[in-house]
Amino acid sequence: MNVKPILVLIIGSAVIAVLAYQWAGSEMTIAATPDAASPRDIRKSEPETAQSLATPTQEEPARNDDLEAFRERLMARFEGQLDHPGGQVRLLEELMRYLHQVDPEHWRESLSALLLSWFPDRGEELLNRAEAMIAYKDFMEQEQYTLRSMGPDERRDFIWAKRRELFGEAADEIWQSELRNYSLSQSLKDLDQQPGPTLAKAKEYTRAIQDTYDDEAAQVMERRRQELTDRFLSLSSVQQSLHEQAPEQRYETLRGIRQELGMEEQALDRWDQLDRDRDDRWAQGETYETERQAIVEKYQPGPEREEALDDLSQEIFGDEMAATIRDEEAAGYYRYQESRVYGQN
């Protein structure tokens, strides 16, 4: 018996490889794959393919063993998740990646047979979901230039209209992470425009996190505390307030922000010390930048200027840090000309 036809029957369903989707970020981004399929293609499979997928053949024992092992891993990983659209999408993504790695050239023949064999109770549902994924991929590719010409809000509305057309109410669950991130970003934007003390804004921010993530808020805070803190500290109104404060008041404000966001006392003490160390470094940097500018104005480019700058950097920073500073300057980066972001640098 010829091995190639059997191979095609077993792994031909790499149709979904076309869907090597990268669904993270603000919109679903899809990796380019050859020979893209239309949604109808995934139903073009021979009737006997299901039997060949479900029952290992003597001619291809190793291949079937690999496929069966993958099936078992897939079932174990997604057990209990297939009642939810997000779980279905993640399963399909996993299946797509595997089949594409095994045989990227043959994908049209047996997707429906494989899904119906492995998931007899919900094979049609998964096929419908896969078709929507393919249609969404096609849409994103076909409209990429139109999307680039749109502003952020218009682009978001355009994409979400297509998502809801293809996925219905399931779109909100599939892109739940994006929706939550957008909601929190809007809350931060509103807070940035509101008057009031920084610590009061921090309290409102933690309330917005709770409202956004609900029962998962504590877990999100534990896992992403530093990211969430940095997002708040990056607000222009927060930085303006911190820049206007005297050092001791600023230390108290930074500690209060971090405390509001759930940091423990030992961590707060470490951050206090780091804030003070950063202030010392920036004070050194400001002195260095002033004297560096004087040297640049005094000397023409050449060895004499470079020697004076080397001496200055070593005098202020010491040998190791001076070498780093001078390397950065050689590459065109002047760290002490950058904006100071209190609580972050």
Side-chain angles (χ1 to χ4, degrees):
M1 187 172 185
N2 193 335
V3 172
K4 186 61 177 178
I6 297 172
L7 179 61
V8 171
L9 291 176
I10 294 174
I11 59 174
S13 50
V15 57
I16 343 185
V18 142
L19 299 172
Y21 281 60
Q22 302 168 355
W23 295 57
S26 62
E27 62 191 42
M28 197 172 5
T29 313
I30 297 138
T33 53
D35 198 15
S38 71
R40 291 191 304 275
D41 291 330
I42 65 175
R43 296 183 183 268
K44 293 180 181 178
S45 60
E46 297 295 331
E48 63 270 17
T49 303
Q51 183 63 32
S52 69
L53 286 166
T55 306
T57 65
Q58 292 181 354
E59 291 84 352
E60 284 284 342
R63 182 72 65 180
N64 285 328
D65 286 348
D66 290 344
L67 189 65
E68 179 62 19
F70 172 76
R71 187 189 73 83
E72 292 177 359
R73 292 196 302 272
L74 199 70
M75 297 299 186
R77 179 173 178 182
F78 291 97
E79 183 179 6
Q81 298 187 37
L82 296 187
D83 290 334
H84 307 287
Q88 293 175 359
V89 165
R90 289 189 292 273
L91 178 140
L92 287 169
E93 289 174 333
E94 189 78 14
L95 182 59
M96 296 168 197
R97 282 192 291 269
Y98 174 79
L99 295 173
H100 184 245
Q101 290 172 1
V102 175
D103 189 354
E105 295 182 6
H106 305 94
W107 46 264
R108 298 174 187 261
E109 295 89 340
S110 56
L111 172 60
S112 60
L114 186 147
L115 290 175
L116 291 171
S117 173
W118 287 4
F119 307 97
D121 295 335
R122 59 176 75 247
E124 284 294 328
E125 184 181 4
L126 290 172
L127 282 172
N128 291 336
R129 188 76 69 210
E131 288 178 353
M133 292 166 71
I134 291 174
Y136 181 77
K137 168 199 172 293
D138 290 344
F139 164 78
M140 293 298 290
E141 289 185 348
Q142 292 164 7
E143 301 294 340
Q144 57 180 308
Y145 299 109
T146 301
L147 291 167
R148 289 175 187 173
S149 69
M150 293 178 175
D153 292 339
E154 183 184 11
R155 180 168 56 248
R156 183 178 183 276
D157 291 344
F158 187 58
I159 290 173
W160 270 100
K162 191 64 177 182
R163 289 172 176 175
R164 291 201 167 99
E165 173 191 330
L166 292 171
F167 296 90
E169 294 181 359
D172 286 358
E173 181 176 336
I174 294 169
W175 282 276
Q176 183 184 63
S177 177
E178 179 184 323
L179 285 173
R180 286 173 164 177
N181 191 61
Y182 179 77
S183 175
L184 193 59
S185 295
Q186 291 299 109
S187 296
L188 280 166
K189 185 177 180 180
D190 292 342
L191 282 172
D192 200 20
Q193 296 172 351
Q194 291 176 7
T198 296
L199 291 180
K201 290 185 178 184
K203 189 177 292 292
E204 287 295 320
Y205 179 46
T206 56
R207 189 174 295 119
I209 294 171
Q210 180 64 54
D211 291 343
T212 299
Y213 292 98
D214 199 17
D215 293 341
E216 299 176 32
Q219 182 181 0
V220 170
M221 285 287 289
E222 184 66 28
R223 189 175 66 248
R224 298 171 52 194
R225 196 182 316 280
Q226 192 57 54
E227 172 204 339
L228 294 169
T229 303
D230 286 343
R231 290 178 70 177
F232 181 77
L233 287 171
S234 297
L235 295 180
S236 59
S237 62
V238 171
Q239 283 299 309
Q240 180 179 349
S241 176
L242 291 171
H243 275 268
E244 292 171 353
Q245 293 175 357
E248 290 302 324
Q249 183 184 6
R250 185 168 60 246
Y251 299 146
E252 290 180 8
T253 300
L254 287 168
R255 186 183 184 96
I257 292 169
R258 293 166 181 144
Q259 191 170 35
E260 181 63 42
L261 285 160
M263 289 192 185
E264 298 177 351
E265 287 298 313
Q266 289 184 339
L268 292 172
D269 291 341
R270 291 194 297 270
W271 276 104
D272 283 348
Q273 186 58 52
L274 181 58
D275 290 332
R276 296 170 189 273
D277 292 343
R278 284 170 168 171
D279 279 356
D280 290 342
R281 287 201 297 268
W282 274 89
Q284 285 183 315
E286 290 171 1
T287 299
Y288 170 75
E289 188 59 33
T290 299
E291 296 188 22
R292 188 191 71 82
Q293 190 59 40
I295 290 172
V296 169
E297 293 174 359
K298 179 178 180 180
Y299 297 101
Q300 293 296 319
E304 193 173 11
R305 176 194 282 185
E306 295 305 313
E307 182 178 355
L309 290 173
D310 285 341
D311 291 343
L312 174 64
S313 62
Q314 289 171 12
E315 176 186 346
I316 292 180
F317 299 112
D319 291 344
E320 185 175 348
M321 187 61 183
T324 300
I325 295 290
R326 299 292 285 134
D327 285 344
E328 291 175 350
E329 292 175 354
Y333 173 68
Y334 299 87
R335 67 167 62 192
Y336 294 110
Q337 292 179 6
E338 297 293 315
S339 298
R340 176 80 191 272
V341 182
Y342 283 111
Q344 294 187 20
N345 65 13

